[in-house]
Amino acid sequence: WRGGGFLSNTSYSMNQWSPTAWLYHAEGGKHAIFRSATEKNLNCFAQEQERIAGHVLRIPKHELASAYAVCGNASADDNVAVATDYAVSNASKQETASFLFQRNVVQPLLGRSYIDLPRSVVLPPLLCARLYQQAVASGNIPPSRIQSWRIDSSETKTSTDNHAMNEGIKATLLRDHTTLIKHPRFLDQPNQNVISVEIKPKAGYITSSPLVSPKHRCKYKGSRYSLQQQLMQLGYVQKGWQHHGSETQNSKPFTPSNYSPLDLFSGNASQIQTAIKDLSNNMQNNFRAFYNGRQIFGEDISPLEGERKNILNTFVQQCGSSAFSHHDENRNADSILLDFICSVVSRILHREELLRNLLSMQLLDVIDGDGVIRVYDRLVHLCDGSNSKAEELLDKSMVCVEEAVREQSKKPQLLGKDLAKSPFELPNCSVLHKLIEEVDSFQSHSTNDVDSTHELCVRLVEQLSQQGCIYLLQNWLLSLVACDVSFFLTFQCFADDQGTNEEYQSINNGGIMHFDGVKDEKSSFRPRTMIYYEVKVVDCDAKPAKKLRSRRKVEDVFQFI
């Protein structure tokens, strides 16, 4: 399953799809992740694609709750046979909008080696009911997320009876990025332990749009992330991961993070390392580390004393000790292990193209959230006041890029530099062209003419055509995707005594990188540490246009800074 490809057009046997084949692993606001419980040699993945080892299932939580509301009382004996009448969706069936968006829009911009395309599956409601039971009974659901698993019986039964019970529940089958597939060079090497780090990088730029509201001009002074940290400290913003199960925990004071996305996306090796270190010092919901698929670091999570020493000893042996030779022995194991992880992660991110590609996607936001509110209102007006009609047009336009990509070389060159990489077709709208010119020439740090430029751009928005509105909103929604993604950086360590050449990550294989070797007390050269790694981006689904309805509330909070 390489180069953004996906599993063959095949069905899975019932034992592979039984509830016991999947374990609750993690979740976000809307989806739960179940990890394959089947331990297989991942080197067999390419040859034996019917196996589910090395995969995760991503299922909407409200669908799991709906399935349990209807099927929760079914006989436990049904567990064995829940998958007999369901299979992985055939490739010949209509591709989902999410798949098309990621294949046609995101993958060409990010780079094919950095994203594996999702695979749609249809699951029987009984299987989903059993997975719901397992997740709730596991005790692993974070207290902050419990509310999203509650069942509203009247709504869930109707939803499931009318849809899922007849057609099955749609989910997504994905690579498990806490695992690694062996590089062809290392087929004869013994299986090594795997460390995986999940990072939410956030927006790596400061807006310079003249459409920023005069009340929100704090946006010109810092990254959106740093401003949100201030708002969280002031109590105006609270994230889902901050909610805990008791009043005592709720009263825990919030500590703002020093992490700067501007450092991470700077292209400078030292600044990238500083950013990763700052993330690890205050992880919040933006940094998690896994060891052989099990989380060892995260917000309020760290390994036990004995475990952290075992992990360190394992990596010292695998790396020939060179990777840890400069660490102070008086420091605790957590600090040494995190330093090693951060050093590897920052080195890899500096040498790969991912951050540069991701930033170019983020910079497609040329109007800021404040401008989005005005452009969306204009589009609704042009759609006879219908929000639904405006949103339907916009949702459809997000995947209609194939022609635009083919015509990319013919695109007029008058556009601003940040929109040069837009995959969407530029409409023939003179007002849009004038607006983009004004946005591109605007200097937000200058106090001269800020108000007049703002007023001019507001007037231009009020004259935009329907296609001009859609174009700007398309690019902003695509930028929002790039600001909200996570990526997994997964690696193994080997002691390299054969002078293995370094490689960048490719469509077919992960990358290879060295740490420098050192000389020991007897002046014999220790083998260099060889790092085999993959970097993969996840959560690349298109943002629904319906989100634009509530954008004003999101942006208005910046008036308090």
Side-chain angles (χ1 to χ4, degrees):
W1 192 357
R2 287 291 191 176
F6 43 81
L7 294 175
S8 62
N9 181 11
T10 183
S11 298
Y12 288 78
S13 65
M14 72 180 75
N15 66 317
Q16 290 170 320
W17 284 105
S18 69
T20 55
W22 302 95
L23 298 175
Y24 171 84
H25 181 59
E27 65 183 273
K30 294 184 178 179
H31 296 85
I33 303 295
F34 292 83
R35 188 170 186 257
S36 166
T38 312
E39 295 297 331
K40 299 288 184 183
N41 182 351
L42 289 182
N43 187 36
C44 299
F45 186 92
Q47 294 79 25
E48 301 180 21
Q49 292 180 328
E50 292 185 358
R51 299 190 178 190
I52 61 171
H55 295 71
V56 294
L57 273 174
R58 182 172 180 256
I59 311 172
K61 286 187 282 188
H62 77 274
E63 295 282 19
L64 290 168
S66 296
Y68 181 71
V70 173
C71 306
N73 293 324
S75 170
D77 294 336
D78 293 335
N79 279 355
V80 180
V82 290
T84 51
D85 297 325
Y86 291 82
V88 174
S89 302
N90 291 334
S92 60
K93 291 184 179 180
Q94 185 177 7
E95 293 165 325
T96 65
S98 176
F99 176 89
L100 291 172
F101 175 74
Q102 294 188 49
R103 184 190 68 185
N104 297 346
V105 182
V106 178
Q107 201 179 53
L109 294 172
L110 272 186
R112 289 186 63 198
S113 65
Y114 297 125
I115 178 173
D116 288 333
L117 294 177
R119 179 66 167 165
S120 294
V121 296
V122 179
L123 304 176
L126 183 55
L127 172 62
C128 291
R130 293 291 176 262
L131 292 178
Y132 177 91
Q133 285 178 300
Q134 289 182 15
V136 172
S138 71
N140 294 326
I141 297 175
S144 60
R145 301 291 189 186
I146 288 291
Q147 182 64 34
S148 61
W149 290 81
R150 300 266 165 84
I151 298 173
D152 183 333
S153 58
S154 61
E155 291 184 10
T156 53
K157 279 198 173 189
T158 301
S159 169
T160 307
D161 284 339
N162 292 342
H163 175 69
M165 290 299 288
N166 296 323
E167 300 182 19
I169 291 172
K170 292 181 180 179
T172 307
L173 186 67
L174 300 162
R175 269 274 313 280
D176 179 358
H177 295 304
T178 65
T179 62
L180 273 174
I181 301 172
K182 275 193 174 181
H183 190 289
R185 286 192 183 186
F186 309 137
L187 294 181
D188 58 345
Q189 293 270 8
N191 288 331
Q192 299 285 55
N193 294 286
V194 176
I195 284 182
S196 182
V197 178
E198 181 187 10
I199 290 173
K200 299 180 189 295
K202 306 301 182 179
Y205 64 99
I206 297 176
T207 186
S208 59
S209 170
L211 286 167
V212 169
S213 167
K215 293 182 179 181
H216 303 160
R217 286 180 181 164
C218 63
K219 293 180 180 181
Y220 293 146
K221 299 178 181 179
S223 70
R224 192 175 182 92
Y225 178 81
S226 66
L227 295 174
Q228 285 180 327
Q229 291 289 301
Q230 293 181 47
L231 289 167
M232 291 163 74
Q233 188 175 28
L234 293 169
Y236 290 110
V237 171
Q238 192 167 37
K239 300 292 185 179
W241 57 267
Q242 291 179 274
H243 295 283
H244 296 286
S246 70
E247 291 300 320
T248 301
Q249 288 173 308
N250 272 330
S251 63
K252 179 182 177 182
F254 172 76
T255 303
S257 171
N258 291 325
Y259 165 64
S260 170
L262 305 181
D263 283 339
L264 184 67
F265 287 94
S266 67
N268 178 278
S270 177
Q271 287 178 261
I272 292 172
Q273 184 156 3
T274 296
I276 298 299
K277 186 64 178 174
D278 286 340
L279 268 179
S280 72
N281 285 337
N282 189 348
M283 299 181 189
Q284 297 185 6
N285 196 39
N286 304 316
F287 184 101
R288 298 193 299 166
F290 301 83
Y291 179 68
N292 293 333
R294 188 173 57 80
Q295 187 173 352
I296 55 172
F297 288 112
E299 182 70 3
D300 299 325
I301 295 175
S302 62
L304 299 174
E305 180 65 28
E307 182 184 19
R308 48 182 95 137
K309 289 182 178 179
N310 289 338
I311 294 173
L312 271 177
N313 290 337
T314 298
F315 275 91
V316 166
Q317 293 173 2
Q318 291 179 359
C319 300
S321 75
S322 62
F324 299 92
S325 59
H326 299 296
H327 286 294
D328 184 351
E329 292 183 358
N330 294 321
R331 296 171 61 204
N332 66 59
D334 267 9
S335 179
I336 296 173
L337 183 57
L338 268 176
D339 273 359
F340 171 64
I341 292 172
C342 291
S343 181
V344 171
V345 167
S346 59
R347 285 273 306 274
I348 292 170
L349 290 177
H350 181 252
R351 76 191 303 266
E352 290 289 339
E353 292 292 324
L354 173 63
L355 292 180
R356 289 178 279 279
N357 295 347
L358 194 57
L359 181 60
S360 71
M361 288 178 64
Q362 294 181 354
L363 290 173
L364 293 173
D365 166 22
V366 298
I367 56 176
D368 183 69
D370 288 329
V372 165
I373 296 166
R374 293 185 179 275
V375 176
Y376 174 70
D377 287 346
R378 171 64 178 168
L379 180 60
V380 171
H381 172 75
L382 294 171
C383 292
D384 303 319
S386 171
N387 296 81
S388 298
K389 182 179 178 182
E391 291 157 7
E392 183 180 359
L393 285 172
L394 191 51
D395 285 334
K396 287 182 178 178
S397 73
M398 292 302 292
V399 297
C400 298
V401 297
E402 292 179 292
E403 287 297 325
V405 169
R406 284 196 286 268
E407 297 293 323
Q408 191 82 2
S409 60
K410 302 178 183 178
K411 188 188 301 186
Q413 297 303 305
L414 58 86
L415 284 180
K417 59 183 183 299
D418 292 333
L419 286 172
K421 292 191 176 181
S422 171
F424 303 112
E425 185 174 4
L426 175 69
N428 184 19
C429 173
S430 59
V431 176
L432 171 66
H433 301 169
K434 173 63 175 172
L435 177 59
I436 292 172
E437 289 175 359
E438 290 294 332
V439 167
D440 198 43
S441 62
F442 178 70
Q443 299 296 319
S444 61
H445 61 271
S446 171
T447 56
N448 297 327
D449 298 326
V450 174
D451 289 333
S452 60
T453 305
H454 172 75
E455 291 167 4
L456 171 61
C457 290
V458 168
R459 290 195 298 271
L460 289 172
V461 168
E462 292 170 351
Q463 302 170 47
L464 282 171
S465 67
Q466 185 181 94
Q467 289 304 311
C469 293
I470 288 174
Y471 180 78
L472 291 172
L473 294 174
Q474 280 177 313
N475 284 286
W476 184 83
L477 285 168
L478 180 53
S479 169
L480 186 62
V481 170
C483 294
D484 283 353
V485 297
S486 298
F487 61 78
F488 282 86
L489 198 157
T490 307
F491 65 92
Q492 293 175 311
C493 300
F494 300 89
D496 177 31
D497 54 3
Q498 299 179 351
T500 305
N501 292 329
E502 292 188 322
E503 293 181 7
Y504 290 101
Q505 182 167 317
S506 68
I507 295 173
N508 296 315
N509 296 301
I512 300 172
M513 180 189 75
H514 285 128
F515 273 10
D516 292 333
V518 297
K519 292 183 178 181
D520 64 16
E521 295 176 356
K522 297 180 180 180
S523 297
S524 62
F525 190 77
R526 290 180 183 172
R528 292 182 297 178
T529 299
M530 181 173 64
I531 307 290
Y532 171 54
Y533 66 86
E534 280 188 344
V535 191
K536 294 289 184 178
V537 179
V538 297
D539 299 334
C540 298
D541 297 307
K543 301 295 185 182
K546 192 173 183 179
K547 276 182 170 286
L548 300 179
R549 295 192 190 191
S550 59
R551 199 69 209 176
R552 190 181 305 277
K553 181 179 179 181
V554 175
E555 301 301 322
D556 278 351
V557 72
F558 288 99
Q559 67 184 292
F560 299 114
I561 295 181

